[in-house]
Amino acid sequence: MSCSLLCRLCIVGGGPAGFYTAQHLLKSHPDIHVDIYERLPIPFGLVRFGVAPDHPEVKNVINTFTQTAQHKHCCFFGNVNIGRDVSVKELQEAYHAVVLSYGAEANRRLGIPGEDLLGVYSAKDFVGWYNGVPCNKDLQPDLSSDTAVILGQGNVALDVARMLLSPLDILKKTDVTQPSLEALAASHVHKVLIVGRRGPLQMACTIKELREMVNLPGTKPDMVTAEFEGIAEALKELPRPRKRLTELLLKAAQGSAGSAQATRQWGFRFLRSPVEIRPSSDVTRTAGIRLAVNRLEGSGENAQAVPTGEVEDLQCGLVINSIGYRSLPIDATVPFDPHKAVIPNTVGRVEQVAGLYCSGWVKRGPTGVIATTMNDSFDTARALLQDIEAGLLKLSTKKLGSKAIVTLLEKRGVNSVSFLEWEKINAEEVKRGGRAGKPREKLLDVEEMIKIAKT
Amino acid sequence: KSNQKVIQKHSLISPTSKGDKILLHFINQSGVKITTSVTEGASLLEVVINKNLDISGFGACEGTLACSTCHLIFDENVYKNLEPIADEELDMLDLAYGLTKTSRLGCQVCVQKWMDGMTVRVPRDVKDLRNVKESAENQ
C-alpha cells in the first residue's frame, strides 16, 4: 500500500484456512489488522478435531498458528457464532473486508434406506467423537459387533479403520478422548472392510496411510485376490506415486503382510456401492449392508463405476459413511452453490459481493491436506492484497473493527473467549493429560471451557 | 527413524556465528535469490527457519515427514551425491507439487562442506497435493 491507512480485516473461522489467510495478510503490511472469529471457544479447527490422534506431527502447525494469533495486529474471538450472534452484514460494516473460512461442518449423505439406523455414523461424527468435538460427545457409537464396514477409501476412511483396530497400548498415549478410549477398549470390532465404488487403481488414500495399515501391530490384511486381476500388469504404465501405492497394496493382498496369528483383520473391497443398510430382525439396529456390484468404464483417475445389476450382502453391525464432508450456507446474504456446496468465487473473491472473500474448504470443497489449504489461503490473501493495492477497499473510510462487534456481542449477551483465555484452557488440558501419560486430555464441554477461560 | 529430526530453534546456526564456511543459495517461489552462509550439520529446513529466509509456508510439519512443504529442487550433480532416500521420505515427496527428478525434502538433507556454493530452488508454488486426482494430472 502506498499510503499507510489502517486496514481492518476479519476472518470467519479459526481453523487452518483462517490462520494461514491471517498469516499471509499480516506479513504483507504493518498497517493491516486481522480479527479472527471462531464459533467454538477454542481455535485450530480440523487440526485439533480432524487429524487423527496418532498423527501428532501433523498438528505441529498449531505452533505457527499460535505465533500468528499472538501477532500484535491479530485478535482472536472464540465462542462467537457468525450468522447467529453477529451477521455477515454487520461484519462488513465494521471491517474493510471479510474472509469466510468456516470450512465444512456437515457430511454428504448416502441417500439410501437404513442410513439412520443405530450403528450407522458419518465419518465426520465418528472422527469428531474420538477427537473431542463437543457436539459429538454423546455419539455412543455401537461397537458391539464383529464387523465394521467403512464406505469410502480416502485417508479419513483409513484413519477410522486404524482407530478401530489399533492396539490400546498405542492409543492410550495419544490425545484421543478418555471416554472414546474406554469405548474402544470395550469394542468387539475385529474386522474392518473399507469399501470403494471403483477399483484398486482409483483408491483415494495415500501411501503413508496404507503403510500404517500394513504395519499395524496385531492385524493382518484380508483381501479378495480376484479383485486384483490385471493390476500387476498395469503397474509399469503408472506414474510413480500411484505405482508405489499399488505395489504396496498388491503386497498386502498377496498375504505377505501382518502376522498369521493376528486376530484383527482389515481389507479393501472394490467395485461396490451401497444400496441399502439392513436392519436386525427386531429392527433396532444395523445387521448388514447390501452392495451393488460395479464394473469400470474407462481407466485411470477418470474411470467411472457402472452398476452390473448384481448385488452382494455383507453382515456388519457398524457402518461408517466416509464419502466426504460438506459445507453449509452461513447467512442469507452470502451466495452459496447448493450443488457443489461451496461459496461461488473467483480466486477467493466471492462472486457479486464486493469486500467478501473466502478460503479453504468452503471455497474449494472438502479435499486435500493442511498444506493444500495453506496454498489456497495464500492465494485468497494475495487476491485481497491486490484489491487493496488497486484501491477497491476504500481504506479512507474509517472502520471500527472489533470495537463495533464487541459492543454488539455485549448487547446480545455473548461472552467471547480471547487467545490468552484459550491458553488457560490449553494449560488445563495439558495438565490433565500429563496425569494420564497423554499429550492432553481434551475438555468436551463448551460450558466447562468457558468457565476455565474466565477464571 | 534417525532421519526424523524436529527443528532445533536454538541450533547449530545463529545468524552471526563465526566459522560459517558454507555458502548456500536459495531461489524462492517468486524467483528471488537468497544467499546465506552456514556451518555444516543442520538440515536445509533448519537453515530456512533459523535464518528466517523469505520462503512462505516452508516446513509446516516442522521436519517430521508429515508434509511436503520443504520440497527443494537440486542441481543434478549435487542430487546424485546426496544420502540415499528412505521410503518414508519418498512417501511424502511423491505428493509434492512440481516434483522433479532431482527433488528432495529439505528436512532430510543436511548441509555438508562439499555443498559450498550450491543453489537449491523452491518450486513456483509450494503445495502438498494429497488429492490423488490433481497430483496424477501433474505427473
Side-chain angles (χ1 to χ4, degrees):
Chain A
M1 298 187 296
S2 47
C3 55
S4 38
L5 284 173
L6 194 50
C7 176
R8 294 199 189 275
L9 305 172
C10 77
I11 297 179
V12 177
F19 273 97
Y20 274 128
T21 306
Q23 195 177 89
H24 203 271
L25 292 168
L26 288 163
K27 175 175 126 144
S28 68
H29 202 281
D31 292 317
I32 287 182
H33 290 226
V34 180
D35 293 334
I36 300 176
Y37 293 94
E38 161 59 45
R39 177 170 57 188
L40 285 171
I42 55 185
F44 308 138
L46 283 178
V47 179
R48 173 181 166 103
F49 292 118
V51 175
D54 58 353
H55 286 168
E57 328 75 30
V58 179
K59 304 190 197 201
N60 283 342
V61 285
I62 283 175
N63 298 331
T64 187
F65 295 164
T66 296
Q67 280 188 339
T68 297
Q70 291 169 341
H71 188 292
K72 66 180 177 190
H73 290 162
C74 185
C75 210
F76 172 83
F77 295 91
N79 200 41
V80 178
N81 185 323
I82 303 300
R84 188 194 69 190
D85 300 332
V86 174
S87 70
V88 172
K89 238 191 166 54
E90 284 166 335
L91 287 181
Q92 288 184 285
E93 278 158 25
Y95 294 91
H96 293 105
V98 175
V99 184
L100 300 168
S101 310
Y102 63 82
E105 70 199 78
N107 59 273
R108 287 183 65 208
R109 301 253 310 159
L110 295 166
I112 61 175
E115 181 161 13
D116 297 309
L117 280 170
L118 178 67
V120 184
Y121 311 96
S122 66
K124 170 191 82 73
D125 285 341
F126 193 79
V127 170
W129 169 73
Y130 64 64
N131 269 339
V133 174
C135 70
N136 292 133
K137 71 175 185 286
D138 298 321
L139 190 72
Q140 294 185 308
D142 184 348
L143 305 176
S144 62
S145 72
D146 177 76
T147 301
V149 166
I150 303 174
L151 299 167
Q153 296 175 332
N155 285 338
V156 176
L158 265 65
D159 281 353
V160 170
R162 212 170 59 247
M163 291 302 290
L164 284 171
L165 295 179
S166 277
L168 286 168
D169 280 343
I170 294 176
L171 291 183
K172 73 183 187 201
K173 296 185 197 136
T174 70
D175 65 6
V176 68
T177 71
Q178 194 59 27
S180 308
L181 186 61
E182 287 166 15
L184 288 166
S187 165
H188 289 264
V189 175
H190 277 80
K191 182 159 153 171
V192 176
L193 297 175
I194 308 165
V195 177
R197 286 177 303 168
R198 299 189 295 169
L201 295 177
Q202 289 77 38
M203 200 169 68
C205 65
T206 51
I207 195 170
K208 175 169 183 276
E209 284 72 15
L210 179 58
R211 211 183 279 288
E212 285 168 344
M213 288 310 299
V214 169
N215 294 335
L216 194 58
T219 70
K220 64 183 180 211
D222 158 31
M223 315 258 204
V224 175
T225 325
E227 295 189 344
F228 296 91
E229 248 168 75
I231 299 300
E233 292 72 22
L235 276 178
K236 52 187 180 312
E237 303 299 318
L238 299 172
R240 189 177 79 186
R242 176 59 76 182
K243 179 162 182 266
R244 293 180 72 241
L245 176 66
T246 309
E247 279 169 344
L248 182 59
L249 178 62
L250 279 175
K251 200 169 130 200
Q254 280 149 13
S256 50
S259 77
Q261 307 99 305
T263 52
R264 295 183 157 191
Q265 298 176 345
W266 61 277
F268 293 104
R269 294 292 183 270
F270 298 100
L271 296 169
R272 300 289 186 272
S273 294
V275 291
E276 185 188 345
I277 298 172
R278 322 204 76 206
S280 55
S281 44
D282 62 4
V283 202
T284 57
R285 46 177 22 112
T286 300
I289 186 167
R290 173 156 288 180
L291 303 169
V293 177
N294 299 324
R295 61 178 174 79
L296 279 187
E297 254 175 25
S299 65
E301 310 298 328
N302 296 316
Q304 307 260 26
V306 174
T308 60
E310 274 181 60
V311 293
E312 183 181 274
D313 287 342
L314 284 179
Q315 268 188 316
C316 60
L318 177 64
V319 175
I320 307 272
N321 158 17
S322 187
I323 64 171
Y325 285 61
R326 190 174 165 85
S327 293
L328 297 178
I330 187 171
D331 192 301
T333 62
V334 177
F336 191 79
D337 178 338
H339 177 65
K340 292 186 193 156
V342 292
I343 295 175
N345 71 92
T346 312
V347 201
R349 295 181 178 97
V350 176
E351 281 176 12
Q352 299 174 348
V353 186
L356 201 57
Y357 300 79
C358 55
S359 67
W361 281 8
V362 80
K363 166 189 170 193
R364 298 178 41 249
T367 61
V369 292
I370 293 171
T372 324
T373 291
M374 176 182 84
N375 284 286
D376 175 85
S377 300
F378 290 173
D379 285 346
T380 292
R382 272 190 283 266
L384 206 168
L385 291 167
Q386 274 171 19
D387 291 355
I388 292 176
E389 279 296 314
L392 298 174
L393 294 194
K394 301 202 188 72
L395 296 188
S396 51
T397 307
K398 186 169 175 226
K399 293 285 191 177
L400 291 176
S402 60
K403 276 208 188 71
I405 303 304
V406 167
T407 305
L408 289 174
L409 293 175
E410 281 170 1
K411 245 198 320 210
R412 296 168 186 173
V414 176
N415 206 357
S416 69
V417 173
S418 69
F419 200 78
L420 270 175
E421 289 172 331
W422 143 247
E423 288 178 329
K424 285 195 242 173
I425 298 170
N426 184 40
E428 180 63 24
E429 289 187 343
V430 170
K431 187 168 97 180
R432 293 187 190 186
R435 293 188 206 129
K438 298 162 82 171
R440 72 176 58 243
E441 186 58 57
K442 291 178 183 172
L443 291 171
L444 302 180
D445 188 77
V446 168
E447 294 309 318
E448 200 187 355
M449 289 175 192
I450 295 175
K451 184 158 153 266
I452 287 173
K454 301 295 177 185
T455 52
Chain B
K1 289 201 177 173
S2 57
N3 282 344
Q4 282 190 8
K5 290 163 68 175
V6 176
I7 306 174
Q8 298 142 44
K9 296 255 192 250
H10 37 262
S11 72
L12 305 156
I13 304 169
S14 65
T16 56
S17 73
K18 298 180 200 158
D20 288 347
K21 288 184 201 140
I22 302 154
L23 205 66
L24 301 177
H25 308 286
F26 290 81
I27 302 181
N28 77 5
Q29 55 265 54
S30 312
V32 173
K33 187 178 197 177
I34 305 161
T35 298
T36 188
S37 181
V38 301
T39 50
E40 70 171 351
S43 74
L44 291 176
L45 172 58
E46 286 166 335
V47 170
V48 171
I49 299 301
N50 294 334
K51 292 279 190 166
N52 206 20
L53 303 185
D54 182 19
I55 303 176
S56 302
F58 204 76
C61 77
E62 299 183 359
T64 55
L65 285 177
C67 78
S68 62
T69 61
C70 67
H71 170 207
L72 290 168
I73 301 167
F74 294 79
D75 290 333
E76 172 76 49
N77 58 319
V78 171
Y79 177 79
K80 63 180 194 248
N81 291 316
L82 297 175
E83 295 290 311
I85 187 169
D87 268 343
E88 283 130 332
E89 182 186 344
L90 208 44
D91 285 354
M92 300 317 299
L93 188 63
D94 269 354
L95 308 176
Y97 181 82
L99 191 62
T100 71
K101 290 193 163 66
T102 58
S103 287
R104 290 292 297 265
L105 293 182
C107 65
Q108 303 301 304
V109 176
C110 291
V111 179
Q112 301 193 304
K113 284 202 179 71
W114 63 265
M115 295 176 184
D116 188 25
M118 84 168 169
T119 299
V120 293
R121 288 174 288 130
V122 176
R124 270 210 61 202
D125 288 300
V126 177
K127 282 184 207 257
D128 179 338
L129 288 179
R130 210 168 311 182
N131 175 324
V132 176
K133 272 202 198 80
E134 289 172 35
S135 58
E137 280 158 16
N138 284 320
Q139 295 308 314

